[in-house]
């Protein structure tokens, strides 16, 4: 309902150790979205139910389509409890706009290094609340520009105040059920420039720009 916001969408993500053809690795699993952070599917199709998923095209090739992955038994009970199914069928491979390069980030799960991502349908998650809210504004500016920074600065306070009210509501819900296991929820407001892929892209562009000065 904020006047500056064009669209807002709730999303889920969870990290888990994936068992795949006898090997295990850490993956970040996102909920599939039709509107924001769209995927570029290079082979196969999008998932259609809570038993299907899309795999990371930088980590997999088309030969994995039709194969199954498993939420590994080596995960904690809490981690396994975040998902509806234990096994999922890969129906496509894709690139994600969240990941612009090969970096996939770090995790508190497993060895701490995320190897790849997967996308499940939202109904495949058993989480009591959204872990993320993605927001796009009505006004559009080029990333890495002063106009983008000014636009974010002008709207950040209103967005954060609204998100805090959401956190207050969620906190009240939790306290009603468990009045003792309860800290106020952490809340982070991040722009695209907080994304490691966008940061690396900017740094790489700066290096190329520097070389272009020497070799015009």
């Amino acid at each position: 309902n904020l006047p500056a916001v064009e669209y807002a969408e709730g999303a889920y993500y969870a990290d888990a150790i994936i068992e795949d053809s006898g090997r295990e690795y850490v993956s970040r699993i996102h909920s599939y979205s039709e509107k924001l952070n769209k995927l570029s599917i290079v082979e196969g199709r999008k998932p259609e139910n809570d038993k299907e998923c899309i795999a990371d095209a930088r980590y997999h090739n088309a030969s994995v389509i039709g194969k199954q992955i498993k939420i590994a038994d080596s995960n904690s009970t809490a981690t396994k409890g975040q998902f509806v199914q234990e096994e999922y069928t890969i129906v496509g491979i894709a690139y994600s706009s969240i990941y612009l390069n090969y970096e996939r980030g770090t995790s508190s799960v497993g060895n701490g290094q995320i190897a790849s991502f997967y996308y499940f349908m939202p109904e495949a998650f058993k989480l009591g609340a959204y872990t993320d809210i993605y927001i796009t504004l009505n006004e559009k500016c080029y990333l890495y520009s002063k106009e983008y920074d000014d636009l974010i600065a002008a709207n950040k306070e209103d967005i954060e105040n609204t998100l805090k009210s959401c956190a207050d509501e969620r906190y009240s819900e939790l306290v009603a059920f468990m009045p003792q296991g309860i800290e106020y929820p952490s809340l982070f407001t991040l722009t695209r420039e907080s994304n490691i892929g966008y940061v690396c892209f900017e740094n790489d562009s700066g290096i190329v720009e520097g070389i272009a000065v020497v070799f015009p």
Side-chain angles (χ1 to χ4, degrees):
N1 293 324
L2 292 176
V5 174
E6 179 182 41
Y7 185 74
E9 182 174 50
Y12 303 107
Y13 89 84
D15 295 342
I17 301 170
I18 296 296
E19 184 181 324
D20 177 6
S21 303
R23 59 198 176 103
E24 294 188 353
Y25 51 88
V26 179
S27 286
R28 176 151 293 171
I29 301 164
H30 298 271
S31 57
Y32 181 81
S33 170
E34 293 279 5
K35 292 190 176 182
L36 297 184
N37 298 321
K38 292 182 181 179
L39 297 177
S40 175
I41 299 175
V42 294
E43 294 283 350
R45 59 173 174 82
K46 70 177 185 178
E48 295 176 349
N49 56 60
D50 64 10
K51 297 180 181 179
E52 297 180 340
C53 68
I54 286 181
D56 186 346
R58 290 197 186 276
Y59 193 86
H60 299 281
N61 58 40
S63 67
V64 302
I65 295 176
K67 292 184 177 180
Q68 287 192 322
I69 59 167
K70 179 182 177 182
I71 307 298
D73 293 335
S74 54
N75 286 290
S76 67
T77 302
T79 296
K80 289 187 284 188
Q82 296 177 101
F83 304 98
V84 171
Q85 307 292 343
E86 185 178 284
E87 295 185 345
Y88 296 84
T89 301
I90 300 173
V91 296
I93 59 172
Y95 296 111
S96 169
S97 58
I98 298 177
Y99 302 96
L100 293 187
N101 61 2
Y102 289 94
E103 290 289 336
R104 296 293 178 261
T106 58
S107 172
S108 60
V109 172
N111 63 7
Q113 188 63 43
I114 298 173
S116 71
F117 64 75
Y118 287 93
Y119 276 79
F120 292 3
M121 292 300 285
E123 54 267 31
F125 291 84
K126 290 198 295 185
L127 296 171
Y130 290 126
T131 56
D132 294 317
I133 301 175
Y134 292 111
I135 298 170
T136 184
L137 301 180
N138 289 309
E139 187 177 346
K140 301 295 184 286
C141 296
Y142 286 113
L143 187 60
Y144 311 122
S145 68
K146 184 178 183 303
E147 289 77 14
Y148 178 84
D149 293 338
D150 291 344
L151 178 64
I152 296 300
N155 292 285
K156 188 173 183 179
E157 184 176 357
D158 284 345
I159 290 172
E160 287 183 335
N161 288 338
T162 302
L163 293 177
K164 186 177 183 304
S165 68
C166 294
D168 289 339
E169 183 177 343
R170 177 61 175 160
Y171 182 66
S172 298
E173 291 174 356
L174 293 174
V175 169
F177 285 101
M178 299 174 288
Q180 296 87 5
I182 302 295
E183 296 182 6
Y184 188 81
S186 299
L187 183 67
F188 303 95
T189 308
L190 307 175
T191 70
R192 286 178 178 174
E193 292 176 340
S194 302
N195 178 291
I196 188 170
Y198 284 87
V199 172
C200 289
F201 185 86
E202 182 177 27
N203 291 339
D204 292 345
S205 299
I207 292 170
V208 173
E209 183 180 34
I211 294 173
V213 172
V214 179
F215 302 104

